[in-house]
Each structure stands twice: as C-alpha cells, then as structure tokens.
Amino acid sequence: MKEKPFMAAVSTQRDLRLDLFRGLALWLIFLDHIPSNAVSWITIRNYGFSDATEIFVFISGYTAAFVYGRAMEEHGFIVASARVLKRAWQIYVAHVFLFAIYLAEIAYVAHSFDNPLYTEEMGVRDFLASPDVTIIQALLLKFKPVNMDVLPLYIALLVGFAPVLWLLLRAPSLALIASAVLYALMWTFDWNIPAYPSGNWVFNPLAWQLLFVFGAWCALGGAQNLSRFLNSRVLVAAAAVYLAFAFGIAMTWYFPRFGALVPKFVGELIYPIDKTNLDVLRILHFLSLAVITIYFVPVDWRYLRSRVFKPAIVCGQHSLEVFCLGVFLSFAGHFVFMEVSNRLPMHVLVSVAGIAIMVGTAKLLSWYKNVERKGPRPPAAKPGYAGSDVR
Amino acid sequence: MRRLPLLLALMVLAGPAVAEQRPEHPAECRVAAHLAESSFPLPQVARAIAAKKLAVLVIGAGSSRLPGPGGAKNAYPARLQTALAEKLPGVAVTVATDVKMRRTAAQMVEAMPVDLAATKPALLVWQTGTVDAMQGVDQDQFAQALDKGINIARSAGADVVLINAQYSPRTESMIALGNYAENLRWIAVQQEVPLYDRFGIMKLWADLGTFDFYSATKKLDMAERVHDCIGRLLSDLVVQAAKPENPSPAGLR
C-alpha cells in the first residue's frame, strides 16, 4: 500500500463517540416520530433550536468521509464513488421499503376509521385514490410521507458526495468554503427540490449539505485543526450562553406567558426558525451542543467503553438498519396507541420497548456480521469491494 | 301538580347560581376554557357590538362543517352564532359561512374579496392549515397566503380570528401539521391577530378523556358536541377580545 502525503489526514482510529451519539440520535428520532408521545418530552428538540436530525447528518458526514475517504486514498476516485453510490442505492431501497409500510398503514386507517368529525383529515386517503401517481412520485423521491424525509436527504447527500470528497482530500478548506457558498446561494435564491403534490423537500439538501460537508471536513483533519479552539474556555462559555438563550426561547413555546418577556426585536430577528433550510440558529445550536459535548466527553473518556453506553454505541454502528427500524417502530407505536391504550404508562412502555428492539436488532446485526466475516465463504464469491464491511 | 312547590323551591335555590354563571357552557366544554383566550383586541367587533349589529363571516375547509342534513345547524359556525347571541343580548348577530372541502389557504384568499363584499362582516373567522399540510404546500407560500388574507380582511374593515387544525390522533402520523401550525401561530403574533387554538383545546379534551377522538363511528353525536363546544369557546374568545377594557387602538366608548 502506497503512502500518500495526505494519508495522515484520515485517522485510522474509529471514534466511539460518533457511534454513541449517532445511536442516541437514532433513539431520539424514534421517540420524536411517535405522534403525541409523552416520552418525547425528554428529547433535545424541546429545549432548544436543533434536534437529533442535525446530530445524525453531521455524524453521517463524518463517518462517510472516514470510510470513503480511506477508500478513495487506497483505491482511487472511481472505486470510492462506486461504493458511495452503492450505499445511496441501499438507502433508496430501504426508503421504498418504508414507503410500502406507510401505504399499508394509510390504507388501514382509510378502511377502518370513519368519524364525521374528521372529514377534512380523511383527505389523506386521496393519495390512495390514484396509486399510480402516488407510487411513482414516491419512487422519484418527490412524494415523501410524514417522517420519511431524512432518508431522501441522506440519499441526495451521498449522490453528490464523491466529488466533494475528492476536493476535501486535496483542499479541505476550499471544499468547506464551497459548501458554505452553496448554502448562502440557496438562501439568497430560495433553491430547493420540488416535491409532490406541491411544495418542496422538507429537508432541503442544498442547505443540509453544509452540516454533512462540515462533518466530513472534521473527519479529514478539520477537527484536529479546531482542537485548540475547542478547548478554550471562552468558546465553551459562549456555547453555554447560547444554549441557555435557546432554552429560554424554547420555554416560551410551552409557556406563552413568558413570551411577553422576549423583546419584540428579538422575536423578529429569530423567527421563523427554518428547519427546511437549516436555519443558522439551528446550526449554532448544534455547534454549541457539540462544543459542550466534546469538552465534557473527550475521545479517551474512560466511560465510553462501559456497559452503560454499549446499547447506544451498537445502534450507532448499524445506523441505516436501526434508523429504518425506528421509523417502522414509530408507526407501530402509534398503532398501539390507537388500538390499545393512549395513556402515559403505554407511552413509556412503547418507548422503552422500541428502544430495546432497536438495541436487540443492532446486536443481532453485529453478531451476523461477525459470523459472515469468520465463516467459510462460498467458493464462487470473490473478495471484492462491493459488500465489504462499509458502514 | 303536587310537585310544583318542590319545583319552585328548586328554582329558587338554583336561581342565583344560574344568574351568576350565565351564560354557562356544558362542563365538557369548560375544561378547556382557559385556552380560548385572546391576547389581541378586536376593535371592529367592539364597534359592531356597540352598534348592536354584529356580522361574522366564517371561511374554512372541511373541519368547519358537519355532514348530514343537520350539519349546517350543528357545525361550529352556527353554534358560534347561538352562543354570541346569548352572550350579547340586544345585538343582532349573524354568521355567514363560506366552507368548502379541500381548500388551501391560498384558495380561500381568492374567495375572500367576494365573500367580504357580500357579507360586510366585522369579524372574519378563518380556519385553515390542514389542507395545506396534507398537500405539502410550501411554507413560504402558506405564510404569504395568511398575510394576504389578513390584510384583505382588514382593508375590508373586518377583524380576523385564525383557527388552527383539529387534533386528530388517528391521522397524526400521516399529516405533518408541525411547521404549518408554527407558521400560523407566528403569523398570528406578528399580525396581532387572535389565534383560536382549536388543536390545543381538542388535545386537552383528549388528554382529560372528555372526548374520545380515537373512536371510529358514523354517528354524529360526538362530532356535534365537539362543534358545540368549539363554537361556545370561540364566542368566549370573541367577546373577551372585544371588551372595551381591552387595550384597543380605537379607544372605544
């Protein structure tokens, strides 16, 4: 294997914190996706501007650069691009699978539920009236049901990732600046991708790419360059102040009486906090959370390998499967609320059981991967790039 | 006839209580009464009440109506009219409606000038958002439609009350109300328009077990009681927001 000058940029040690926080983000996304789930009160979106999506996208960018950056250095641009696209294809298939489950759910509700109070809401059935259009639009990633917007975003980000990665490996700062320029242009000209039946993508890839590329940039040495700033107390204090400010604003959403305490100009400055286009306030909130987290959880934090965090870490290591499972489980959880009970104990039970299923499945996948790696391969199978342990 | 003294006695006992609380809503409505508060005044409504003639126009989509022959009579616009008439003795209250299924905010704005010219209301009650959420209308376009509608109503001399979506637990995982609800709330604050938080009220009823919104039925009884409560609580909000002691720029009375 040839040593290349920028080889050192891609570190070889996998940072367990990435798996831990991606696993936690997957849990939070699951909890947030169950409608009216009382347990979702614990998730971070209620206490500030950003939510688990930012964590997920950032870490996905980080790990994508980590995995495919090494592939690009070792095997070149074509091979690495092919792998990235294969990954995008896998995610696409997973998304279509989830869409099938969604269609089943909506068909069930359309069939079993009738109440004159909800004639307006039953308009969701209209999508079933013309399945030809609905399904084709879904396959084109234009029709995206509720809570099924993250995977299309991920697909779009990966499809465009190979050239970005190429640039990141050669001129990381330039790549990051280009990403920021695209973000700024998107805001200036209102660029987004159209959706069906109307409107645009809920997660605008042209906006969210900034966080993805920033994650990738961090993985390729950016984090090391930043490390002397990251340990500065001034930065940590600034992050803490910003988080406190966001917390205060978030409280006015639940206690409107506090809203009067927010000066009018502050309200006009910050609202609306745009999730579709990844508002700057959301980026800052995520960065503040990251700064605080990195400060208190260093890479060699001794508890990282403790049993307590193992369940979250193992989920983070199988993020695609666990994410899809989480979306399915949130459908199923909502179904349980409808058909069995909608009281608090059931909310807790469904939330805990869902996370337990996610952890169990992730452990099973780890076991499966181990078996496949150890076991004798069928003679026909040649060792290749496809299907290797890319995660 | 033997029961008459008893009846009289009961009436005497109950009299003060009734007088004190009149006009009173059924207990099931009342649990959510604190959510039907307005932080903004309705000066045109106050003026209309002073002139003893209050015309209201309700523009909405499917959730502002009830199916069936008695639908128009039992849906919340008609219940609002009854409740307002009870609360405002001596004031001629009329409620006109323009309610059609499957209309987005922008489509309702198109109908607005004609409706306003025809009914000349002091108050426009505007129920919107659910259809926009189902069709995934662009957030900016939704917000612009709201702004435009409010401005049209104001220039036609009407105050505006916005009504947000219903709480519908069965379809929660299929209709992404979140951003639309936030936009509606934000536009209401920015334009200083009262928002009637139908979603919050119904959610509270669901949490308290007042109504079971999960039940699948073709019967209208629960839907009628819900609309009755929605109309009554809306009348609370309107009357409270039109009270002269509310700070109003016009400085009425």
Side-chain angles (χ1 to χ4, degrees):
Chain A
M1 204 178 298
K2 283 184 289 180
E3 275 291 332
K4 291 191 178 175
F6 42 77
M7 191 70 180
V10 186
S11 75
T12 46
Q13 188 65 40
R14 181 144 183 156
D15 190 338
L16 269 187
R17 293 180 298 179
L18 295 170
D19 294 326
L20 171 64
F21 289 108
R22 180 149 71 169
L24 290 175
L26 290 167
W27 292 359
L28 299 183
I29 290 174
F30 160 68
L31 293 176
D32 282 337
H33 277 185
I34 311 177
S36 317
N37 182 15
V39 181
S40 70
W41 275 103
I42 63 169
T43 65
I44 56 170
R45 68 165 178 191
N46 300 300
Y47 305 101
F49 303 140
S50 73
D51 62 25
T53 318
E54 272 87 353
I55 303 174
F56 185 76
V57 170
F58 173 83
I59 296 182
S60 296
Y62 195 110
T63 48
F66 180 78
V67 172
Y68 302 112
R70 206 163 44 184
M72 202 172 273
E73 285 172 346
E74 289 174 9
H75 306 292
F77 178 77
I78 300 289
V79 170
S81 308
R83 280 199 196 170
V84 172
L85 292 177
K86 186 193 172 207
R87 185 68 177 158
W89 170 252
Q90 286 176 342
I91 298 170
Y92 178 76
V93 171
H95 174 73
V96 173
F97 172 68
L98 285 179
F99 180 73
I101 294 173
Y102 167 83
L103 272 188
E105 192 200 17
I106 199 173
Y108 170 81
V109 168
H111 216 73
S112 69
F113 177 50
D114 211 358
N115 192 322
L117 190 59
Y118 292 122
T119 45
E120 180 165 10
E121 284 76 5
M122 283 302 119
V124 289
R125 295 185 217 180
D126 294 355
F127 294 121
L128 289 181
S130 49
D132 49 344
V133 181
T134 303
I135 292 175
I136 288 170
Q137 294 293 345
L139 292 175
L140 293 172
L141 299 182
K142 287 180 84 179
F143 175 63
K144 296 183 294 303
V146 179
N147 291 340
M148 285 180 52
D149 303 293
V150 179
L151 288 186
L153 169 69
Y154 200 179
I155 294 166
L157 293 175
L158 279 182
V159 165
F161 187 58
V164 179
L165 184 60
W166 183 87
L167 189 59
L168 271 170
L169 286 169
R170 278 151 190 85
S173 308
L174 186 64
L176 189 60
I177 290 168
S179 168
V181 167
L182 179 58
Y183 176 83
L185 288 174
M186 176 283 304
W187 272 90
T188 314
F189 297 107
D190 273 337
W191 289 341
N192 197 340
I193 300 176
Y196 174 84
S198 60
N200 293 311
W201 277 33
V202 171
F203 291 115
N204 185 352
L206 301 172
W208 284 79
Q209 52 82 22
L210 179 60
L211 209 50
F212 195 77
V213 174
F214 180 63
W217 181 83
C218 287
L220 299 174
Q224 273 165 344
N225 293 341
L226 287 180
S227 57
R228 61 202 155 106
F229 300 106
L230 287 173
N231 288 324
S232 103
R233 281 173 189 277
V234 180
L235 186 68
V236 173
V241 168
Y242 185 74
L243 290 181
F245 165 72
F247 178 80
I249 295 292
M251 286 304 106
T252 66
W253 304 336
Y254 309 110
F255 307 101
R257 278 165 212 282
F258 295 164
L261 300 174
V262 180
K264 203 170 154 73
F265 79 93
V266 174
E268 278 171 7
L269 200 65
I270 64 174
Y271 290 117
I273 301 170
D274 192 341
K275 184 170 184 182
T276 292
N277 295 318
L278 185 63
D279 205 288
V280 174
L281 293 176
R282 291 183 68 109
I283 300 180
L284 288 175
H285 191 255
F286 166 76
L287 292 178
S288 303
L289 280 175
V291 165
I292 300 275
T293 307
I294 291 166
Y295 187 77
F296 287 106
V297 185
V299 67
D300 51 356
W301 198 47
R302 58 199 171 116
Y303 299 107
L304 270 179
R305 293 186 184 277
S306 80
R307 293 167 62 97
V308 186
F309 295 121
K310 192 85 181 121
I313 289 172
V314 74
C315 284
Q317 284 166 342
H318 301 278
S319 65
L320 176 62
E321 293 87 345
V322 173
F323 177 85
C324 294
L325 183 68
V327 173
F328 167 72
L329 288 172
S330 62
F331 284 154
H334 184 231
F335 185 78
V336 171
F337 289 0
M338 280 197 288
E339 300 300 331
V340 185
S341 157
N342 193 27
R343 299 274 146 224
L344 183 64
M346 187 53 87
H347 288 210
V348 176
L349 184 69
V350 163
S351 301
V352 171
I355 290 173
I357 294 171
M358 289 162 85
V359 173
T361 308
K363 282 194 169 151
L364 188 68
L365 288 167
S366 288
W367 174 84
Y368 205 78
K369 205 164 118 185
N370 258 336
V371 170
E372 280 199 322
R373 198 178 284 163
K374 277 181 203 156
R377 283 165 182 262
K382 288 179 195 160
Y385 306 123
S388 61
D389 54 333
V390 170
R391 279 285 172 265
Chain B
M1 272 303 155
R2 271 185 303 156
R3 285 197 193 139
L4 193 60
L6 181 64
L7 202 63
L8 279 173
L10 273 175
M11 280 171 73
V12 170
L13 279 175
V18 169
E20 212 172 75
Q21 295 181 356
R22 193 199 62 88
E24 190 50 277
H25 305 322
E28 56 193 25
C29 307
R30 238 182 298 139
V31 292
H34 62 285
L35 292 174
E37 280 178 358
S38 165
S39 35
F40 301 114
L42 297 173
Q44 301 289 0
V45 176
R47 211 168 287 155
I49 292 173
K52 301 288 177 198
K53 193 166 174 295
L54 174 61
V56 179
L57 170 65
V58 178
I59 295 186
S63 61
S64 292
R65 63 194 276 277
L66 284 172
K73 180 168 63 73
N74 293 316
Y76 79 79
R79 306 311 303 157
L80 169 69
Q81 178 167 8
T82 310
L84 281 175
E86 274 174 24
K87 280 206 176 76
L88 304 167
V91 178
V93 180
T94 54
V95 175
T97 58
D98 174 15
V99 173
K100 287 191 198 81
M101 296 285 285
R102 291 190 178 79
R103 279 199 302 181
T104 61
Q107 286 165 333
M108 289 191 250
V109 168
E110 280 172 30
M112 230 171 242
V114 179
D115 290 345
L116 288 164
T119 54
K120 302 231 180 322
L123 173 66
L124 168 69
V125 173
W126 188 12
Q127 174 261 315
T128 188
T130 310
V131 176
D132 294 79
M134 281 192 287
Q135 299 194 355
V137 170
D138 184 71
Q139 292 293 337
D140 288 341
Q141 283 170 14
F142 178 61
Q144 281 163 16
L146 292 176
D147 273 328
K148 197 174 165 194
I150 292 167
N151 292 336
I152 288 174
R154 285 203 165 137
S155 52
D159 292 326
V160 180
V161 170
L162 289 170
I163 301 187
N164 59 9
Q166 297 195 100
Y167 171 62
S168 167
R170 287 253 182 185
T171 55
E172 257 187 319
S173 61
M174 294 162 215
I175 305 175
L177 288 174
N179 289 333
Y180 297 89
E182 273 166 38
N183 243 325
L184 197 70
R185 194 177 288 277
W186 170 235
I187 298 280
V189 170
Q190 236 185 359
Q191 289 265 18
E192 307 200 345
V193 159
L195 172 70
Y196 180 55
D197 186 11
R198 183 170 62 161
F199 185 92
I201 289 170
M202 290 177 71
K203 181 83 169 57
L204 183 68
W205 284 334
D207 290 345
L208 295 175
T210 314
F211 294 108
D212 177 15
F213 294 127
Y214 282 97
S215 66
T217 172
K218 288 204 189 307
K219 282 199 218 141
L220 275 160
D221 50 345
M222 183 192 72
E224 283 169 4
R225 283 191 292 139
V226 169
H227 271 247
D228 182 47
C229 284
I230 286 171
R232 285 169 183 273
L233 294 181
L234 179 54
S235 77
D236 282 355
L237 180 142
V238 170
V239 170
Q240 177 241 326
K243 281 224 176 95
E245 60 260 37
N246 259 314
S248 71
L252 289 153
R253 292 246 308 253

